[in-house]
Amino acid sequence: MTPAARATDRSALPLPVGLLMALIAGCGMPLQGRVNGALGDEIGSGVGAAVVSFGVGLALLSVAILALPVGRRGLRAMPGHVRAGNFPWWYMLAGGFGAFFVVSQGLVVTFLGLALFTVANVAGQIGSGLVVDRIGFGPGGPRPVSTERFVGALLALAGVLWVVWPTLAERGVGFAVVGPMLMPFVAGLLMGFQQAMNGVQTRHYGNPLPATFFNFLVGTVALILTYLIMLPFAGPAGALPSVWWMYLGGPLGILFIGAGAVLVRFLGVLVTSLGLIAGQLLGSLAIDAIAPVPGSTVSASTVLGTLVALAAVVIASAPGRGLRFR
């Protein structure tokens, strides 16, 4: 794609609208975490809850992709896109990265705590956002590491650290936790590439439905295999509950993945990731204020850290010249 074509492509969605979409999609993630956490507690298996969440999302997407003309056209066009070299076939395996993130949650959150897990994962997302944009791996072509984007990335990480600092200070960070922190960090790195791969597919399909469908298909298969591998050690999950809202994790995941697949084309991977991260902080703040779990409070550090993350999104999305590293 020529620079002029990329400029036209990026301007198709107004920047404020794109940032608002990223914030709204990000707000759904803490709610998904609350829903999947409740489901995992109910059935006694975090991976089992992830299988159910992905499975519900896959069922909804299967109905949509077969019922809607844009979905059927996307499925029919997929082999042609691969043969034409518009994207490699393995781009459709991006859902495996999402499954890896969920598995990493189930394996190390209990040991690390949510604060350390979040910091490591966000650091990975920010790092991959800078790299993926710089090399032009996403659908919008190369985006230089400008001063504004670099400062915004650092501010976003600072905002997340500010939010979780009380927990980190209490928990402490020793040598024993550095190794386990690599797993959420790698998961964050992969999330940037996942968004870029989804964005490239979405650009050619013309809508995010096929790419989101393949994400849930591959993710569901990967999680089922993980569940079966862990079954001899962790035991089977319990019976599924009859509470309807415990099955909303899948639809919320569709919102998150679909929005990311659309937005990376216009905002780039870094700004999309920062918008989603800021949205997650906003969503967590709203949940703690409206429906807190026992022992949770809305602290000044949470509010201020969220404001810093919002400022980071605005700064990183500003136009600027690339940094020159000598």
Side-chain angles (χ1 to χ4, degrees):
M1 188 188 302
T2 65
R6 280 198 298 269
T8 302
D9 192 41
R10 293 174 185 174
S11 64
L13 182 70
L15 179 61
V17 175
L19 294 179
L20 181 61
M21 289 174 61
L23 289 174
I24 292 173
C27 283
M29 292 310 293
L31 184 57
Q32 184 195 40
R34 180 74 66 88
V35 168
N36 286 346
L39 178 60
D41 290 341
E42 184 71 20
I43 66 177
S45 171
V47 176
V51 171
V52 173
S53 178
F54 268 68
V56 170
L58 177 61
L60 293 174
L61 287 166
S62 298
V63 171
I65 207 165
L66 293 175
L68 298 177
V70 292
R72 296 195 298 271
R73 284 198 300 269
L75 283 182
R76 289 195 298 267
M78 181 270 291
H81 287 307
V82 174
R83 286 195 300 269
N86 292 331
F87 54 81
W89 65 268
W90 49 267
Y91 271 37
M92 293 180 292
L93 302 181
F97 296 158
F100 180 77
F101 170 76
V102 172
V103 171
S104 69
Q105 279 183 315
L107 292 178
V108 302
V109 162
T110 303
F111 175 74
L112 286 178
L114 186 58
L116 283 174
F117 181 93
T118 301
V119 169
N121 184 254
V122 167
Q125 290 184 58
I126 292 173
S128 66
L130 287 168
V131 172
V132 169
D133 280 348
R134 179 66 184 86
I135 65 178
F137 189 76
R143 297 170 187 258
V145 182
S146 66
T147 304
E148 291 81 2
R149 291 164 65 80
F150 189 72
V151 170
L154 292 180
L155 270 181
L157 183 57
V160 172
L161 278 170
W162 200 339
V163 170
V164 301
W165 184 254
T167 306
L168 289 177
E170 180 181 347
R171 172 74 163 81
V173 182
F175 180 77
V177 304
V178 173
M181 285 179 71
L182 288 176
M183 193 170 190
F185 177 75
V186 171
L189 289 175
L190 294 177
M191 287 173 72
F193 286 91
Q194 178 189 17
Q195 289 180 349
M197 292 158 69
N198 289 339
V200 170
Q201 293 179 71
T202 296
R203 181 177 178 275
H204 289 288
Y205 289 131
N207 70 91
L209 189 55
T212 307
F213 168 77
F214 284 116
N215 266 251
F216 273 81
L217 175 61
V218 172
T220 300
V221 171
L223 286 169
I224 289 175
L225 292 175
T226 302
Y227 176 79
L228 293 175
I229 292 171
M230 296 178 62
L231 189 60
F233 310 99
L240 294 176
S242 58
V243 183
W244 65 270
W245 58 263
M246 289 189 180
Y247 300 95
L248 293 179
L252 290 169
I254 292 174
L255 171 67
F256 185 84
I257 293 175
V262 171
L263 292 174
V264 292
R265 174 181 173 186
F266 305 102
L267 305 181
V269 175
L270 175 65
V271 175
T272 298
S273 296
L274 296 184
L276 293 172
I277 290 167
Q280 291 176 54
L281 295 178
L282 276 175
S284 299
L285 187 62
I287 290 173
D288 285 344
I290 299 171
V293 297
S296 66
T297 59
V298 177
S299 64
S301 63
T302 302
V303 176
L304 293 174
T306 302
L307 292 176
V308 169
L310 288 171
V313 177
V314 175
I315 292 172
S317 59
R321 299 179 61 184
L323 287 173
R324 295 182 180 179
F325 299 98
R326 297 177 184 270

